PDB file of all heavy atoms in Angstrom:
ATOM      1  N   PRO A 153       9.386 -13.341  25.607  1.00 41.00           N
ATOM      2  CA  PRO A 153       8.797 -13.239  24.275  1.00 41.00           C
ATOM      3  C   PRO A 153       8.298 -14.566  23.712  1.00 41.00           C
ATOM      4  O   PRO A 153       7.162 -14.692  23.342  1.00 41.00           O
ATOM      5  CB  PRO A 153       9.936 -12.737  23.416  1.00 41.00           C
ATOM      6  CG  PRO A 153      11.170 -12.907  24.254  1.00 41.00           C
ATOM      7  CD  PRO A 153      10.802 -13.438  25.600  1.00 41.00           C
ATOM      8  N   ALA A 154       9.131 -15.508  23.691  1.00 44.00           N
ATOM      9  CA  ALA A 154       8.816 -16.762  23.025  1.00 44.00           C
ATOM     10  C   ALA A 154       7.371 -17.187  23.225  1.00 44.00           C
ATOM     11  O   ALA A 154       6.625 -17.377  22.287  1.00 44.00           O
ATOM     12  CB  ALA A 154       9.739 -17.862  23.511  1.00 44.00           C
ATOM     13  N   LYS A 155       7.007 -17.305  24.433  1.00 40.00           N
ATOM     14  CA  LYS A 155       5.619 -17.687  24.722  1.00 40.00           C
ATOM     15  C   LYS A 155       4.964 -16.558  25.486  1.00 40.00           C
ATOM     16  O   LYS A 155       4.740 -16.645  26.671  1.00 40.00           O
ATOM     17  CB  LYS A 155       5.605 -18.949  25.584  1.00 40.00           C
ATOM     18  CG  LYS A 155       6.191 -20.133  24.880  1.00 40.00           C
ATOM     19  CD  LYS A 155       5.123 -20.853  24.044  1.00 40.00           C
ATOM     20  CE  LYS A 155       5.635 -22.174  23.581  1.00 40.00           C
ATOM     21  NZ  LYS A 155       6.642 -22.030  22.531  1.00 40.00           N
ATOM     22  N   PRO A 156       4.712 -15.507  24.765  1.00 41.00           N
ATOM     23  CA  PRO A 156       4.203 -14.304  25.416  1.00 41.00           C
ATOM     24  C   PRO A 156       2.808 -14.509  25.946  1.00 41.00           C
ATOM     25  O   PRO A 156       2.453 -14.031  26.993  1.00 41.00           O
ATOM     26  CB  PRO A 156       4.163 -13.284  24.291  1.00 41.00           C
ATOM     27  CG  PRO A 156       4.083 -14.115  23.046  1.00 41.00           C
ATOM     28  CD  PRO A 156       4.664 -15.468  23.345  1.00 41.00           C
ATOM     29  N   TYR A 199       7.022  -3.348  19.096  1.00 72.00           N
ATOM     30  CA  TYR A 199       6.916  -4.798  19.223  1.00 72.00           C
ATOM     31  C   TYR A 199       7.931  -5.330  20.231  1.00 72.00           C
ATOM     32  O   TYR A 199       8.885  -4.658  20.600  1.00 72.00           O
ATOM     33  CB  TYR A 199       7.178  -5.476  17.880  1.00 72.00           C
ATOM     34  CG  TYR A 199       6.344  -4.951  16.749  1.00 72.00           C
ATOM     35  CD1 TYR A 199       6.942  -4.395  15.627  1.00 72.00           C
ATOM     36  CD2 TYR A 199       4.955  -4.989  16.805  1.00 72.00           C
ATOM     37  CE1 TYR A 199       6.184  -3.916  14.579  1.00 72.00           C
ATOM     38  CE2 TYR A 199       4.187  -4.512  15.761  1.00 72.00           C
ATOM     39  CZ  TYR A 199       4.804  -3.976  14.656  1.00 72.00           C
ATOM     40  OH  TYR A 199       4.046  -3.494  13.631  1.00 72.00           O
ATOM     41  N   CYS A 200       7.744  -6.543  20.595  1.00 74.00           N
ATOM     42  CA  CYS A 200       8.735  -7.196  21.429  1.00 74.00           C
ATOM     43  C   CYS A 200       9.937  -7.537  20.570  1.00 74.00           C
ATOM     44  O   CYS A 200       9.924  -7.361  19.359  1.00 74.00           O
ATOM     45  CB  CYS A 200       8.156  -8.474  22.047  1.00 74.00           C
ATOM     46  SG  CYS A 200       7.832  -9.779  20.837  1.00 74.00           S
ATOM     47  N   VAL A 201      10.961  -7.995  21.184  1.00 72.00           N
ATOM     48  CA  VAL A 201      12.194  -8.254  20.457  1.00 72.00           C
ATOM     49  C   VAL A 201      11.966  -9.215  19.292  1.00 72.00           C
ATOM     50  O   VAL A 201      12.403  -8.989  18.180  1.00 72.00           O
ATOM     51  CB  VAL A 201      13.266  -8.851  21.390  1.00 72.00           C
ATOM     52  CG1 VAL A 201      14.497  -9.227  20.593  1.00 72.00           C
ATOM     53  CG2 VAL A 201      13.627  -7.844  22.462  1.00 72.00           C
ATOM     54  N   GLU A 202      11.269 -10.224  19.595  1.00 67.00           N
ATOM     55  CA  GLU A 202      11.050 -11.241  18.559  1.00 67.00           C
ATOM     56  C   GLU A 202      10.331 -10.678  17.343  1.00 67.00           C
ATOM     57  O   GLU A 202      10.733 -10.872  16.208  1.00 67.00           O
ATOM     58  CB  GLU A 202      10.230 -12.391  19.132  1.00 67.00           C
ATOM     59  CG  GLU A 202       9.974 -13.474  18.094  1.00 67.00           C
ATOM     60  CD  GLU A 202       8.971 -14.497  18.596  1.00 67.00           C
ATOM     61  OE1 GLU A 202       8.714 -14.506  19.817  1.00 67.00           O
ATOM     62  OE2 GLU A 202       8.460 -15.253  17.777  1.00 67.00           O
ATOM     63  N   HIS A 203       9.284  -9.927  17.613  1.00 66.00           N
ATOM     64  CA  HIS A 203       8.487  -9.423  16.502  1.00 66.00           C
ATOM     65  C   HIS A 203       9.126  -8.237  15.816  1.00 66.00           C
ATOM     66  O   HIS A 203       8.801  -7.930  14.674  1.00 66.00           O
ATOM     67  CB  HIS A 203       7.075  -9.108  16.995  1.00 66.00           C
ATOM     68  CG  HIS A 203       6.303 -10.354  17.307  1.00 66.00           C
ATOM     69  ND1 HIS A 203       5.540 -10.489  18.434  1.00 66.00           N
ATOM     70  CD2 HIS A 203       6.227 -11.531  16.652  1.00 66.00           C
ATOM     71  CE1 HIS A 203       5.007 -11.707  18.452  1.00 66.00           C
ATOM     72  NE2 HIS A 203       5.408 -12.351  17.382  1.00 66.00           N
ATOM     73  N   CYS A 204      10.021  -7.582  16.531  1.00 66.00           N
ATOM     74  CA  CYS A 204      10.758  -6.517  15.866  1.00 66.00           C
ATOM     75  C   CYS A 204      11.546  -7.109  14.708  1.00 66.00           C
ATOM     76  O   CYS A 204      11.698  -6.520  13.659  1.00 66.00           O
ATOM     77  CB  CYS A 204      11.716  -5.817  16.833  1.00 66.00           C
ATOM     78  SG  CYS A 204      10.950  -4.429  17.664  1.00 66.00           S
ATOM     79  N   GLY A 205      12.029  -8.287  14.980  1.00 70.00           N
ATOM     80  CA  GLY A 205      12.808  -8.958  13.948  1.00 70.00           C
ATOM     81  C   GLY A 205      11.971  -9.252  12.716  1.00 70.00           C
ATOM     82  O   GLY A 205      12.482  -9.381  11.614  1.00 70.00           O
ATOM     83  N   ARG A 206      10.681  -9.337  12.926  1.00 61.00           N
ATOM     84  CA  ARG A 206       9.818  -9.610  11.788  1.00 61.00           C
ATOM     85  C   ARG A 206       9.316  -8.326  11.161  1.00 61.00           C
ATOM     86  O   ARG A 206       9.147  -8.236   9.957  1.00 61.00           O
ATOM     87  CB  ARG A 206       8.605 -10.425  12.241  1.00 61.00           C
ATOM     88  CG  ARG A 206       8.972 -11.786  12.738  1.00 61.00           C
ATOM     89  CD  ARG A 206       7.709 -12.498  13.149  1.00 61.00           C
ATOM     90  NE  ARG A 206       7.977 -13.915  13.376  1.00 61.00           N
ATOM     91  CZ  ARG A 206       7.197 -14.871  12.896  1.00 61.00           C
ATOM     92  NH1 ARG A 206       6.149 -14.564  12.181  1.00 61.00           N
ATOM     93  NH2 ARG A 206       7.472 -16.126  13.138  1.00 61.00           N
ATOM     94  N   ALA A 207       9.071  -7.390  12.030  1.00 63.00           N
ATOM     95  CA  ALA A 207       8.451  -6.162  11.532  1.00 63.00           C
ATOM     96  C   ALA A 207       9.416  -5.293  10.750  1.00 63.00           C
ATOM     97  O   ALA A 207       9.054  -4.709   9.747  1.00 63.00           O
ATOM     98  CB  ALA A 207       7.876  -5.362  12.687  1.00 63.00           C
TER      99      ALA A 207
END
Side-chain angles (χ1 to χ4, degrees):
Chain A
K155 296 273 192 288
Y199 307 120
C200 68
V201 175
E202 180 189 345
H203 289 136
C204 270
R206 295 180 168 226

